[in-house]
């Protein structure tokens, strides 16, 4: 599936960009399905969870119990001070997570396709298994910032094997908050580990004090609809807020190799789905 140059780029830089891998129709099918999920979502059912700052406990519970469910999460800035949505529900959702790949037939078929399975193997996962799926909206005007991080902080395995598959369902540009990466080719140590303890408290543990790259040094990956970006768990990346009028829909999968040991402290403990 991948040529030698693409595999080498992945090994050297920690990421690979596969332009125009998917058709417009296949991207549209995922967008249509996400729109249906949002349409059927009762915004009032979880509004209280998100509408005030002091309800972080119920907000955490909503998140921490979502590993084997399909749940909608609001944007931070979706609500006015009176608790009402500032814009239509469909323009207020930050993401849908985290088990679209097992519970929704459209996303399940896409996620388990022969193309994705082969790519995972080409990129070094001998026994790929999917842990998490997310549909990310990056809404116009309110799509929030995602700070610098490494995905292995959230999918820690020994050895580190997590791969992120990032599918551009719409054109991603600097203006609408495309993903930005460290392109230096340096291997960063794992800087943080997000741990979930027995009592469901969580902690972002600092493992290494090396600073994140400067924002100005990041490489923005401006990609067209239908492009797939794959990157490894140590690649630092972030995305700026979407201040534009255009959304930036993306679908993501996080997978590891079943031969690596998945940490008990990872927040997501749902049974992985073999590819
Ligand atoms: Fe990430």
């Amino acid at each position: 599936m991948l040529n030698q140059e693409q595999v080498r780029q992945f090994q050297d830089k920690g990421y690979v960009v596969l332009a125009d891998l998917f058709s417009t129709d296949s991207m549209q099918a995922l967008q249509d399905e996400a729109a249906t999920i949002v349409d059927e979502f009762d915004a009032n059912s979880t509004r209280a969870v998100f509408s005030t700052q002091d309800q972080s406990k119920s907000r955490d519970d909503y998140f921490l119990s979502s590993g084997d469910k399909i749940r909608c999460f609001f944007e931070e800035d979706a609500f006015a001070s009176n608790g009402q949505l500032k814009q239509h529900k469909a323009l207020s959702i930050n993401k849908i997570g985290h088990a679209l790949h097992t519970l929704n037939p459209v996303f399940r078929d896409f996620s388990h396709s022969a193309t994705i399975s082969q790519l995972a193997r080409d990129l070094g996962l001998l026994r790929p298994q999917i842990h998490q799926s997310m549909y990310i909206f990056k809404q116009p005007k309110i799509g929030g910032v995602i700070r610098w991080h490494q995905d292995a902080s959230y999918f820690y395995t020994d050895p580190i094997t997590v791969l992120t598959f990032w599918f551009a369902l719409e054109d991603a540009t600097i203006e609408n908050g495309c993903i930005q990466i460290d392109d230096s080719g340096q291997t960063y140590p794992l800087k943080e580990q997000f741990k979930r303890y027995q009592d469901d408290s969580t902690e972002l543990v600092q493992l290494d004090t090396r600073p994140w790259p400067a924002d100005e040094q990041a490489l923005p990956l401006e990609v067209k609809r239908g492009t797939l970006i794959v990157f490894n768990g140590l690649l630092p990346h972030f995305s700026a807020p979407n201040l534009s009028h255009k959304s930036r829909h993306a679908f993501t999968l996080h997978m590891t190799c079943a031969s690596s040991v998945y940490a008990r402290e990872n927040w997501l403990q749902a049974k992985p789905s073999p590819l």
Side-chain angles (χ1 to χ4, degrees), residues 149-151 231 237 254:
H149 66 280
Q150 298 158 300
D151 286 357
F231 52 94
H237 58 285
H254 286 88

Side-chain angles (χ1 to χ4, degrees), residues 260-275:
S260 59
V261 179
Y262 189 79
R264 283 185 178 181
E265 296 87 3
N266 289 335
W267 80 267
L268 196 158
Q269 292 293 329
K271 194 167 174 281
S273 180
L275 251 184

Side-chain angles (χ1 to χ4, degrees), residues 100-114:
L100 288 160
H101 63 290
T102 53
L103 299 179
N104 179 282
V106 173
F107 285 99
R108 183 171 57 221
D109 289 352
F110 179 83
S111 303
H112 292 82
S113 67

Side-chain angles (χ1 to χ4, degrees), residues 134 146-147 149-151 154 164 166 179 231 235 237-238 254:
M134 293 192 292
I146 303 293
R147 65 177 187 90
H149 66 280
Q150 298 158 300
D151 286 357
Y154 301 90
T164 302
W166 195 99
I179 198 161
F231 52 94
L235 184 76
H237 58 285
F238 81 100
H254 286 88

Side-chain angles (χ1 to χ4, degrees), residues 73-239:
F73 296 82
F74 284 110
E75 287 283 359
E76 289 278 348
D77 292 334
F79 297 97
S81 54
N82 65 3
Q84 297 300 307
L85 286 176
K86 289 191 281 191
Q87 57 284 303
H88 190 271
K89 176 178 69 172
L91 292 172
S92 301
I93 305 294
N94 168 287
K95 68 176 178 182
I96 307 170
H98 292 95
L100 288 160
H101 63 290
T102 53
L103 299 179
N104 179 282
V106 173
F107 285 99
R108 183 171 57 221
D109 289 352
F110 179 83
S111 303
H112 292 82
S113 67
T115 300
I116 293 171
S117 174
Q118 187 59 53
L119 283 170
R121 286 173 167 80
D122 287 355
L123 294 172
L125 297 187
L126 298 176
R127 297 167 57 204
Q129 53 180 6
I130 305 173
H131 290 272
Q132 172 182 271
S133 46
M134 293 192 292
Y135 189 103
I136 300 165
F137 290 85
K138 202 81 172 181
Q139 301 282 8
K141 294 294 178 188
I142 60 168
V145 62
I146 303 293
R147 65 177 187 90
W148 281 104
H149 66 280
Q150 298 158 300
D151 286 357
S153 298
Y154 301 90
F155 295 93
Y156 186 83
T157 59
D158 185 17
I160 290 173
T161 59
V162 63
L163 294 185
T164 302
F165 281 58
W166 195 99
F167 305 89
L169 305 181
E170 296 182 309
D171 293 351
T173 64
I174 290 176
E175 287 71 32
N176 68 5
C178 68
I179 198 161
Q180 304 203 38
I181 61 154
D182 172 55
D183 186 46
S184 67
Q186 304 171 52
T187 301
Y188 267 71
L190 187 64
K191 281 180 52 60
E192 302 166 338
Q193 187 179 356
F194 184 71
K195 292 187 175 183
R196 175 182 185 171
Y197 299 113
Q198 295 280 342
D199 63 357
D200 277 347
S201 62
T202 59
E203 182 183 14
L204 189 65
V205 179
Q206 300 299 313
L207 303 177
D208 192 279
T209 56
R210 181 171 170 174
W212 294 115
D215 287 6
E216 308 76 51
Q217 289 172 356
L219 176 69
L221 296 180
E222 294 193 288
V223 295
K224 291 285 186 196
R225 185 186 202 191
T227 298
L228 168 62
I229 303 169
V230 186
F231 52 94
N232 74 30
L234 291 177
L235 184 76
H237 58 285
F238 81 100
S239 68

